[in-house]
């Protein structure tokens, strides 16, 4: 989520579409700068996570090395257009089609789960007019906690199909 000079960097589980870790930083800072911290927080909570899926804006040798060596995972990050590509390299072409390893392409398509999670958080956040990193971070934390509470309430009520339904709980 991006608002009033701040950006949320969030990691999520692609099966449940629930947040696993986040941080809020000034919007003018590069996303790569915050990847390692968010991924490490998520790894603490989910030590068996194997795949780390991200957009090509996170494509760098350093981040791939962090994922493989520090996080003991496998990166699923397509190469950027300006990066040299070899045969079999994983990338997304101009028409947004995955090219390269078929398994990497299948995993990369699961990235849409994070887009849906972000969309739900943005619906809860609404139009934010807060200023200051701590205030905005707290506001985002409340929104992400609400997403987790909705999921927990749904499972507790025996209605797991409502775990991602903000609208259901907003109208009841």
């Amino acid at each position: 989520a991006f608002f009033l000079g701040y950006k949320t960097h969030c990691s999520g589980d692609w099966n449940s579409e629930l947040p696993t870790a986040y941080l809020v930083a000034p919007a003018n800072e590069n996303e790569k700068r915050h990847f390692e911290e968010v991924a490490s927080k998520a790894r603490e909570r989910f030590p068996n996570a194997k795949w780390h899926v991200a957009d090509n804006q996170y494509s760098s040798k350093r981040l791939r090395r962090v994922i493989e060596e520090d996080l003991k995972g496998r990166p699923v990050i397509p190469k950027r257009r300006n990066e040299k590509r070899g045969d079999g390299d994983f990338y997304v072409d101009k028409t947004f089609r995955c090219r390269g390893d078929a398994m990497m392409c299948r995993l990369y398509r699961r990235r849409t789960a994070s887009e849906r999670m972000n969309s739900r958080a943005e619906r809860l956040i609404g139009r934010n007019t807060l200023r200051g990193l701590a205030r905005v971070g707290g506001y985002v934390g409340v929104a992400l906690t609400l997403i987790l509470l909705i999921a927990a309430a749904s499972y507790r009520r025996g209605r797991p199909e409502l775990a991602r339904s903000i609208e259901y709980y907003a109208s009841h």
Side-chain angles (χ1 to χ4, degrees):
F2 170 80
F3 45 91
L4 293 179
Y6 301 98
K7 189 167 187 176
T8 303
H9 304 273
C10 191
S11 171
D13 174 62
W14 62 27
N15 290 318
S16 65
E17 296 182 16
L18 296 174
T20 56
Y22 81 99
L23 70 82
V24 177
N28 63 349
E29 293 180 354
N30 190 300
E31 285 88 354
K32 287 180 197 150
R33 183 173 177 184
H34 304 288
F35 177 87
E36 192 170 350
E37 183 178 350
V38 174
S40 293
K41 284 181 182 180
R43 184 70 169 175
E44 286 173 17
R45 293 176 181 111
F46 297 91
N48 296 326
K50 187 160 129 184
W51 303 101
H52 295 267
V53 181
D55 284 335
N56 63 0
Q57 66 194 13
Y58 293 96
S59 182
S60 76
K61 288 179 183 177
R62 186 184 74 77
L63 287 184
R64 284 185 174 86
R65 189 177 64 251
V66 164
I67 291 169
E68 290 170 349
E69 295 173 8
D70 298 347
L71 301 174
K72 307 296 184 223
R74 299 249 342 252
V76 181
I77 304 171
K79 287 197 169 186
R80 293 186 315 272
R81 287 187 183 147
N82 63 352
E83 286 182 286
K84 185 178 178 183
R85 297 182 196 146
D87 287 339
D89 279 346
F90 171 57
Y91 66 97
V92 178
D93 68 17
K94 292 178 185 179
T95 61
F96 301 104
R97 290 193 180 126
C98 287
R99 303 291 184 205
D101 184 78
M103 185 169 145
M104 297 286 257
C105 289
R106 274 195 311 279
L107 292 169
Y108 185 72
R109 286 188 201 102
R110 305 279 309 266
R111 181 187 60 80
T112 58
S114 68
E115 301 299 336
R116 289 187 294 276
M117 181 187 66
N118 290 339
S119 175
R120 282 196 305 282
E122 287 173 0
R123 278 187 281 171
L124 285 170
I125 289 169
R127 189 170 199 92
N128 179 22
T129 58
L130 294 175
R131 303 250 186 225
L133 191 59
R135 285 187 179 123
V136 172
Y139 196 70
V140 170
V142 167
L144 295 176
T145 300
L146 281 172
I147 289 173
L148 294 171
L149 287 172
I150 287 169
S154 298
Y155 279 94
R156 235 183 136 157
R157 293 180 68 206
R159 302 282 311 271
E161 71 276 8
L162 297 175
R164 296 183 286 247
S165 180
I166 294 168
E167 289 77 14
Y168 177 81
Y169 287 95
S171 66
H172 284 83

